[in-house]
Amino acid sequence: MTKHKFLGLLLTAVFLVFSVFGCSALKDDPGLSVDAEGTLRVHYIDVGQGDCTLIQTPDNKNILIDTGNPENYDTINIYLKAQKVEKLDVMLITHPHSDHMGAAEKILKNYTVGSVYLPKVAHNTMLFENFMKAMNEKGLKATAAYAGVSIPAGDTVSIDLFSPIEGKSYAELNDYSPIARVAYGETSFLFTGDGENEDEQDAIAQAGLKLKSDVLKVGHHGSDTSTGELFLSLVNPQYAVISVGRDNTYGHPSENTLNKLKGKTIFQTDREGNVVAISDGHGISFITQNSGKMENPAPADESSAISAKPIVYIGNTKTKKFHLTSCSGLPKADNQTTFETRDDAVGQGYTPCGICKP
Ligand SMILES: [Zn+2]
Ligand SMILES: [Zn+2]
């Protein structure tokens, strides 16, 4: 069985489970259990107005970026258990605000944590102090997170930090958030924490064109203080994920940011619940907790690639070519058809696209 076929079957199985049990069952079991071998899984966990992302590498390393709000511990704990996570190899806290560091102390106390990465900035809150105390008790020392640092993530995945600048003081705590690029094969994911304009400018100066990524976790919950034009044009993502609470008092995500993201496929945790991106190193598919209910899952004109059913390949019914979902030359929605496996596409007389070489 080819890897693609295996992934296709597995995702189909996951989707069937969704269909059978519906969304209410998923609320009790939000695990979106995807343990496809040879894939990188990025779980944007729905923690309301906050951030928490679990990254699972092909060689079974677990990396947690941020830990939601203090009251999100149960949600995160249930999610991690559903993914059979016992050890977190790395925990990266982007900055000490309570919607990012919230459950960190409890996670530290209840899980084996290999190493902790933090930007070098203190915060005068009980939350921060208790977390540092818990680190001490565990005999852990935080590794400073700044531009130039690479976080070990197994043999096949790289995590490179492009900001903040080492030793620099930022006026905004948010701007200490490391802008981090996770790459597996030809696919890539950018993380931004709550980084605002200054943080983005520093990452641009450090990384330039290396910012290019397939999936952008939109900075600061979609606030218009983040996602500057130049930054976005360098990242140039096909997919954007916004981690945001329903009816939040901040008005996140802002109209302005959503306008800038026009043409991308946008996932919002307040609408979609947990969002999981699965990369086989060539292309990325998404599944979401509420996929059965999504009315308009793909607002993008060029890439209505994502529907309730996970899709691995997109065919052009006119040219009879097929593409990876990440291809820059996807057909218009009207001319799209989908295949779960490469063999399906070839079996139906489609030939691979010369650009994305699926
Ligand atoms: Zn935040
Ligand atoms: Zn913040």
Side-chain angles (χ1 to χ4, degrees), residues 63-339:
I63 295 137
L64 196 67
I65 303 184
D66 284 335
T67 61
N69 299 278
E71 64 270 23
N72 293 135
Y73 175 72
D74 288 344
T75 301
I76 298 167
N77 184 37
I78 290 167
Y79 198 99
L80 295 181
K81 291 257 152 43
Q83 303 306 318
K84 301 191 171 53
V85 173
E86 281 159 16
K87 180 184 176 188
L88 292 167
D89 297 277
V90 175
M91 188 153 90
L92 164 65
I93 307 291
T94 60
H95 64 298
H97 278 152
S98 65
D99 57 325
H100 298 255
M101 184 181 262
E105 182 197 352
K106 268 197 170 170
I107 291 171
L108 209 54
K109 286 187 167 158
N110 291 295
Y111 284 83
T112 305
V113 176
S115 56
V116 175
Y117 285 75
L118 284 177
K120 222 171 174 175
V121 61
H123 195 35
N124 189 16
T125 58
M126 285 301 284
L127 189 80
F128 182 78
E129 279 161 25
N130 289 340
F131 175 66
M132 296 313 268
K133 224 185 270 169
M135 292 255 293
N136 254 334
E137 282 162 15
K138 285 259 168 175
L140 280 166
K141 264 189 103 170
T143 305
Y146 52 82
V149 169
S150 293
I151 296 178
D155 295 332
T156 53
V157 174
S158 64
I159 304 181
D160 296 316
L161 308 191
F162 298 146
S163 75
I165 305 298
E166 186 185 9
K168 181 176 171 182
S169 308
Y170 293 83
E172 289 290 337
L173 199 53
N174 284 340
D175 281 330
Y176 283 91
S177 302
I179 291 179
R181 186 171 183 273
V182 176
Y184 173 49
E186 296 153 23
T187 64
S188 49
F189 300 76
L190 200 72
F191 293 87
T192 51
D194 279 350
E196 300 184 15
N197 180 55
E198 193 173 350
D199 194 22
E200 290 179 354
Q201 291 301 326
D202 285 345
I204 290 168
Q206 290 293 313
L209 290 170
K210 281 189 269 174
L211 284 165
K212 169 76 191 102
S213 301
D214 301 313
V215 185
L216 171 66
K217 220 270 316 149
V218 178
H220 199 188
H221 321 287
S223 158
D224 63 3
T225 50
S226 302
T227 321
E229 299 278 4
L230 178 59
F231 181 75
L232 183 61
S233 69
L234 285 166
V235 180
N236 192 21
Q238 186 180 1
Y239 305 101
V241 180
I242 305 177
S243 186
V244 69
R246 190 172 295 182
D247 301 326
N248 67 79
T249 52
Y250 306 95
H252 294 162
S254 84
E255 263 328 292
N256 195 14
T257 301
L258 291 175
N259 279 333
K260 285 187 222 164
L261 293 170
K262 274 218 172 97
K264 326 258 178 224
T265 301
I266 302 172
F267 296 94
Q268 289 183 211
T269 56
D270 58 340
R271 277 195 320 233
E272 272 95 38
N274 302 316
V275 174
V276 187
I278 301 133
S279 164
D280 64 359
H282 302 288
I284 301 170
S285 359
F286 283 83
I287 53 173
T288 70
Q289 187 177 357
N290 299 337
S291 43
K293 276 180 153 182
M294 277 163 68
E295 278 165 22
N296 185 14
D301 18 309
E302 32 137 358
S303 55
S304 22
I306 302 309
S307 70
K309 202 166 179 177
I311 291 158
V312 182
Y313 297 100
I314 305 208
N316 185 330
T317 52
K318 285 232 163 107
T319 62
K320 299 285 175 189
K321 293 241 182 286
F322 70 98
H323 308 261
L324 297 174
T325 53
S326 56
C327 184
S328 56
L330 288 181
K332 289 214 173 70
D334 287 353
N335 302 334
Q336 285 186 0
T337 183
T338 57
F339 307 103

Side-chain angles (χ1 to χ4, degrees), residues 4-21:
H4 285 134
K5 197 159 203 173
F6 175 71
L7 179 63
L9 286 175
L10 196 95
L11 294 178
T12 308
V14 170
F15 176 67
L16 286 176
V17 171
F18 284 8
S19 315
V20 172
F21 294 106

